[in-house]
Amino acid sequence: MARRSTSLLRRLLSPSPSPSSPLAGAVSRRTVTYMPRPGDGAPRGVTLIPGDGIGPLVTGAVRQVMEAMHAPVYFEAYEVHGDMPTVPTEVIESIRRNKVCLKGGLATPVGGGVSSLNVQLRKELDLYAALVNCFNLPGLPTRHDNVDIVVIRENTEGEYSGLEHEVVPGVVESLKVITKFCSERIAKYAFEYAYLNNRKKVTAVHKANIMKLADGLFLESCREVAKKYPGIQYNEIIVDNCCMQLVAKPEQFDVMVTPNLYGNLVANVAAGIAGGTGVMPGGNVGQDHAVFEQGASAGNVGNEKIVETKRANPVALLLSSAMMLRHLQFPSFADRLETAVKRVIAEGKYRTKDLGGTSTTQEVTDAVIAKLD
């Protein structure tokens, strides 16, 4: 018995078998199954907002892939465009009912015009946390390796509060609102995310050296929450130094928690480093609802030439859809979708122009469908 135990121990401690070994498949194959609760396989309704520009192209790609996988979701599609004065009531009601939404980009007029419908959605549904995952995709060359950054951004206040007015002609005042309540809950979300995803470090991004009260309150809230997670390293960085460090040594960052405006800037910088905004997934989540979309906002509606030639990159929204499937507790479908997308990128045969290729949206979509297990 002792000899058998020693032999078993030696086998367990021995190096992993090579890929050609007959044991390789058994070692790499997942053996602990996902056990659903009764009724978990029932199809779930998802509100769909194709949006503007390339939105209909990339959301159309998602629908095709979902149909090819026979994913247990169905879409309630609504026409919403960035030049509308408000998000239609029936769209808000659909999201409240379904709890989940997938959307393409909504164009926001620069300067004058209507207010941002993206901001309206976040406030109406209290989607207080925006998450963008910026990481290297195997086979896609980038300036830096080992990038795997999650930017978690407060989504409802700060400079995005929209509190602006003209004091006198030629003088405009814009208010930045920071509250302890919103700062604490975004800090809690960031640390909870890190804890649940086995992340090792949370970095708070700020400008408290200048905005000592507003960003000081944000930092104070982060520090209080950090004390409750002693197993997670916590540090702080000024936003301008953060952008420089991202470009120089992005691998040093893990989870980043930011106020509203800084998060938008940092997420787009991180996305550009890791492969571009066309491949970075993301979403917005609150207590009761979630909206999934392309992670980084830059280029999410594209331009006329991309729309006309139908060469929009669907990868970001496909990966966001994998995030959505996990959120809906369909992990097997999420794994299949994510694996298929990564196989297409690694193979390198079908890529849109932003990734150095010439493929159309449909060609990339068909390639992903062909790679589904």
Side-chain angles (χ1 to χ4, degrees):
M1 181 69 183
R3 266 194 301 242
R4 289 181 60 193
S5 299
T6 304
S7 174
L8 177 61
L9 183 61
R10 283 202 190 104
R11 292 209 319 266
L12 289 172
L13 295 176
S14 64
S16 300
S18 67
S20 59
S21 165
L23 290 177
V27 171
S28 62
R29 188 168 56 245
R30 185 174 64 184
T31 56
V32 179
T33 188
Y34 164 68
M35 186 174 74
R37 296 166 301 184
D40 273 359
R44 292 286 302 274
V46 174
T47 304
L48 180 68
I49 301 175
D52 298 313
I54 65 171
L57 282 172
V58 293
T59 55
V62 171
R63 296 184 80 162
Q64 290 181 58
V65 174
M66 292 289 183
E67 188 174 325
M69 286 198 301
H70 303 289
V73 297
Y74 61 90
F75 293 102
E76 296 178 5
Y78 292 89
E79 287 290 323
V80 182
H81 300 286
D83 57 359
M84 291 179 171
T86 60
V87 179
T89 304
E90 60 269 23
V91 178
I92 298 294
E93 290 175 351
S94 174
I95 299 174
R96 291 193 190 282
R97 180 174 62 253
N98 293 326
K99 309 293 186 187
V100 175
C101 172
L102 181 72
K103 66 180 281 291
L106 292 173
T108 300
V110 177
V114 298
S115 60
S116 168
L117 297 193
N118 296 302
V119 174
Q120 285 186 33
L121 266 177
R122 295 167 196 161
K123 289 185 175 180
E124 184 70 29
L125 299 168
D126 196 25
L127 304 171
Y128 67 86
L131 185 149
V132 181
N133 190 189
C134 303
F135 55 92
N136 294 121
L137 283 164
L140 184 63
T142 59
R143 291 180 181 272
H144 296 277
D145 297 324
N146 303 315
V147 177
D148 187 5
I149 302 169
V150 174
V151 181
I152 294 176
R153 160 192 175 194
E154 204 293 317
N155 224 8
T156 60
E157 57 177 20
E159 293 85 351
Y160 282 65
S161 300
L163 300 175
E164 297 182 313
H165 65 278
E166 189 173 45
V167 182
V168 295
V171 180
V172 173
E173 185 176 55
S174 179
L175 301 180
K176 171 177 176 172
V177 177
I178 297 287
T179 65
K180 188 172 182 63
F181 172 77
C182 289
S183 297
E184 279 188 348
R185 71 174 180 174
I186 195 63
K188 287 177 182 175
Y189 184 84
F191 276 93
E192 188 173 68
Y193 174 90
Y195 170 67
L196 293 174
N197 288 277
N198 195 29
R199 296 279 183 154
K200 307 304 181 185
K201 181 169 67 172
V202 173
T203 301
V205 182
H206 67 93
K207 192 65 177 173
N209 58 323
I210 303 298
M211 285 170 269
K212 297 181 185 296
L213 291 179
D215 285 23
L217 178 59
F218 175 78
L219 279 187
E220 178 187 309
S221 302
C222 290
R223 290 167 185 167
E224 289 178 5
V225 175
K227 292 175 184 176
K228 300 175 182 177
Y229 292 85
I232 297 173
Q233 182 185 348
Y234 170 71
N235 66 349
E236 301 166 356
I237 189 168
I238 296 173
V239 62
D240 38 352
N241 183 32
C242 173
C243 293
M244 188 273 288
Q245 293 289 336
L246 272 171
V247 174
K249 294 193 297 181
E251 63 277 359
Q252 68 184 286
F253 296 107
D254 192 352
V255 176
M256 308 174 78
V257 59
T258 78
N260 207 334
L261 178 61
Y262 309 156
N264 190 23
L265 304 177
V266 167
N268 280 275
V269 172
I273 289 165
T277 59
V279 295
M280 298 303 146
N284 308 271
V285 67
Q287 190 64 41
D288 300 309
H289 310 95
V291 175
F292 295 89
E293 59 185 337
Q294 178 176 311
S297 59
N300 66 351
V301 295
N303 57 51
E304 288 185 12
K305 187 175 181 181
I306 294 176
V307 175
E308 288 171 1
T309 57
K310 298 184 178 180
R311 295 182 186 276
N313 190 346
V315 168
L317 201 65
L318 286 169
L319 292 175
S320 297
S321 301
M323 287 175 59
M324 180 187 75
L325 289 168
R326 290 199 180 95
H327 179 80
L328 291 171
Q329 296 185 333
F330 298 136
S332 175
F333 288 93
D335 291 346
R336 290 173 61 201
L337 175 51
E338 182 178 344
T339 300
V341 170
K342 288 181 175 178
R343 284 174 176 169
V344 171
I345 294 294
E347 188 178 72
K349 185 177 179 181
Y350 296 99
R351 291 181 182 175
T352 48
K353 185 177 180 180
D354 58 311
L355 302 183
T358 58
S359 301
T360 64
T361 307
Q362 189 60 55
E363 287 171 341
V364 175
T365 305
D366 291 341
V368 170
I369 290 172
K371 295 292 184 183
L372 290 169
D373 285 335

